[in-house]
Amino acid sequence: MSTKLIALYITVCSVLFIISKMLISFLCYKKWARKKRIIETSLTGGKLVIFRSAAMQSLSPKAFMRMIMGLSSKDIIGSGGYGTVYLLRLDEKSAFAIKKLSRGSAEMDRGFERELDTMGDIKHRNIVPLCGYYAAPHFNLLIYELMPNGSLDTILHGKEEKKQALLDWPVRYKIALGVARGLSYLHHDCIPHVIHRDIKSSNILLDHNMEARVSDFGLATLMKPNESHVTTVVAGTFGYLAPEYFETGRATTKGDVYSYGVVLLELLTGKRPTDESFLENGTRLVTWVKETMEEKREEHAVDGALASFPAEEVKFVFTVAEKCLESDPRDRPTMVQVAKMLEQAKLA
Ligand SMILES: Nc1ncnc2c1ncn2[C@@H]1O[C@H](COP(=O)(O)OP(=O)(O)OP(=O)(O)O)[C@@H](O)[C@H]1O
């Protein structure tokens, strides 16, 4: 081959290489630009950030903002430790849950937007999607997709007829598996990995199919992939916290596994971890169930609202809960293992 031909060959290859790199960068930019729309609103002095979502894209930000500003106490659907939750219905198909948080410290605010941008990237069928947020000088709003069936806590500990109608055994099993898959995604597939730190029945919401969606990352602290824990002051909810958390204040994925175990017991027994009857007898839901299991009487602990249930499957879920509630975090399974156990038992 002549030198000229080799030179031509190298030039063509180099040009093609550069063009392909430029094309890839262009496509990545387009994808990134589509991911979120940032709208500064002079109307209210805040910043509205909307993540990709069919419902949100079809509405003008000004109109959306006007609807948000029109929310009042009659639109409240719940409240928690971090703020009040409002219902915002756009039309028959789309509705949002708007969580209003009071403005935190300047230090918290700096991390706030970064954390929310990461949360906007989290997409999983068992996680409540964050559709956007609004940051203003005196308050912040988190815009979530509305979960039409509310929280597991409300149904499980609410009116008996509704509980019987909505929470039969197959639905409870589906919820247990959904939460396990959602948590497994947060712990192992998200980059950076996420420890939830406040798994409880009021943070498990139910979509129109009664599919479980893990919600409320208000307490979640994002970890770098190579870190196995984060250290903070003790947070979370009494009754769900792993014993080691009180001693060390270290949040770990195994702490979430413990809280998940408590939710499993709640699904099985229909009792709150802080049920008054336990406090009166100086015991706890976890201790009571462990004792019942030792006596091989777990069927007596099953929620009376369950008209019928497959005894073997229920027993199996008790054993999964028992593993999640091991006192030594090293003896607890990971959420991937829990999800696999529940999937395999269903297939068998
Ligand atoms: N996306 C949503 N769709 C439907 N209802 C929701 C949604 N988010 C929250 N809610 C309702 O609002 C209630 C309060 O939620 P919030 O997350 O503020 O507090 P919590 O989870 O009850 O307590 P805490 O703040 O201590 O975690 C929930 O129990 C639920 O009924």
Side-chain angles (χ1 to χ4, degrees):
M1 215 187 282
S2 72
T3 334
K4 259 190 185 171
L5 220 61
I6 293 173
L8 182 71
Y9 179 74
I10 292 173
T11 314
V12 169
C13 285
S14 309
V15 169
L16 284 178
F17 178 76
I18 291 167
I19 290 176
S20 68
K21 283 277 174 211
M22 283 168 67
L23 197 68
I24 290 170
S25 308
F26 176 71
L27 291 175
C28 285
Y29 171 77
K30 287 271 280 183
K31 193 174 173 215
W32 173 83
R34 243 186 313 141
K35 201 168 76 182
K36 64 178 194 176
R37 292 194 292 158
I38 300 177
I39 299 114
E40 305 274 353
T41 58
S42 51
L43 190 75
T44 50
K47 184 166 103 178
L48 176 69
V49 174
I50 298 177
F51 301 124
R52 217 172 348 163
S53 137
M56 298 278 275
Q57 304 291 330
S58 62
L59 192 78
S60 98
K62 269 209 173 126
F64 187 68
M65 220 42 236
R66 255 197 300 274
M67 290 176 90
I68 287 184
M69 291 305 155
L71 291 171
S72 67
S73 54
K74 67 176 183 353
D75 304 304
I76 293 176
I77 51 170
S79 66
Y82 296 90
T84 311
V85 184
Y86 297 82
L87 165 68
L88 176 65
R89 189 169 289 286
L90 297 190
D91 51 47
E92 270 186 19
K93 277 197 209 135
S94 29
F96 299 95
I98 313 280
K99 189 181 276 193
K100 186 173 179 179
L101 312 168
S102 51
R103 202 91 164 122
S105 67
E107 198 174 312
M108 179 191 142
D109 289 344
R110 270 198 292 279
F112 180 78
E113 290 187 28
R114 207 179 42 237
E115 198 155 316
L116 290 179
D117 285 339
T118 312
M119 280 161 58
D121 285 338
I122 297 176
K123 301 266 181 275
H124 187 273
R125 66 182 290 204
N126 298 111
I127 307 280
V128 178
L130 181 73
C131 305
Y133 61 90
Y134 178 73
H138 302 295
F139 64 96
N140 295 311
L141 302 174
L142 304 186
I143 306 164
Y144 290 104
E145 206 174 279
L146 183 85
M147 294 295 124
N149 279 309
S151 76
L152 173 63
D153 176 88
T154 312
I155 305 183
L156 199 54
H157 307 298
K159 287 211 173 83
E160 200 67 9
E161 310 85 67
K162 191 172 176 191
K163 171 167 146 175
Q164 278 175 351
L166 291 176
L167 289 178
D168 61 9
W169 176 251
V171 170
R172 292 188 198 209
Y173 200 96
K174 181 166 89 167
I175 292 171
L177 182 54
V179 179
R181 284 177 175 154
L183 274 178
S184 163
Y185 177 78
L186 290 178
H187 288 177
H188 305 285
D189 300 328
C190 268
I191 307 287
H193 301 323
V194 174
I195 298 175
H196 189 287
R197 298 208 291 160
D198 199 15
I199 287 297
K200 56 179 173 176
S201 55
S202 70
N203 280 337
I204 294 161
L205 302 182
L206 302 161
D207 71 10
H208 62 285
N209 270 331
M210 292 297 281
E211 186 76 57
R213 307 281 200 111
V214 176
S215 98
D216 204 350
F217 295 91
L219 282 173
T221 302
L222 302 171
M223 292 193 308
K224 294 194 184 75
N226 58 352
E227 283 176 350
S228 62
H229 73 269
V230 288
T231 306
T232 60
V233 288
V234 172
T237 303
F238 185 70
Y240 293 89
L241 286 170
E244 73 275 5
Y245 194 42
F246 290 100
E247 290 154 26
T248 62
R250 272 170 45 163
T252 63
T253 51
K254 292 296 181 81
D256 277 354
V257 174
Y258 184 95
S259 308
Y260 171 81
V262 179
V263 171
L264 279 188
L265 293 192
E266 231 176 318
L267 275 169
L268 287 158
T269 64
K271 292 190 194 301
R272 287 184 191 278
T274 50
D275 195 292
E276 271 176 22
S277 61
F278 295 128
L279 298 180
E280 278 164 18
N281 297 322
T283 183
R284 298 185 309 134
L285 175 62
V286 174
T287 326
W288 175 68
V289 172
K290 278 184 179 170
E291 283 165 7
T292 316
M293 287 182 75
E294 265 164 34
E295 293 160 12
K296 305 218 176 312
R297 293 189 320 114
E298 50 270 55
E299 276 187 40
H300 296 270
V302 176
D303 188 355
L306 280 170
S308 64
F309 52 87
E312 282 310 307
E313 210 167 279
V314 165
K315 252 192 195 159
F316 173 73
V317 179
F318 269 113
T319 60
V320 174
E322 194 182 30
K323 288 189 174 89
C324 295
L325 294 164
E326 284 287 351
S327 331
D328 187 338
R330 288 168 301 186
D331 295 338
R332 292 173 207 150
T334 63
M335 283 317 300
V336 178
Q337 290 167 331
V338 172
K340 238 184 218 138
M341 281 189 262
L342 292 172
E343 275 160 12
Q344 281 167 357
K346 204 68 205 162
L347 291 176

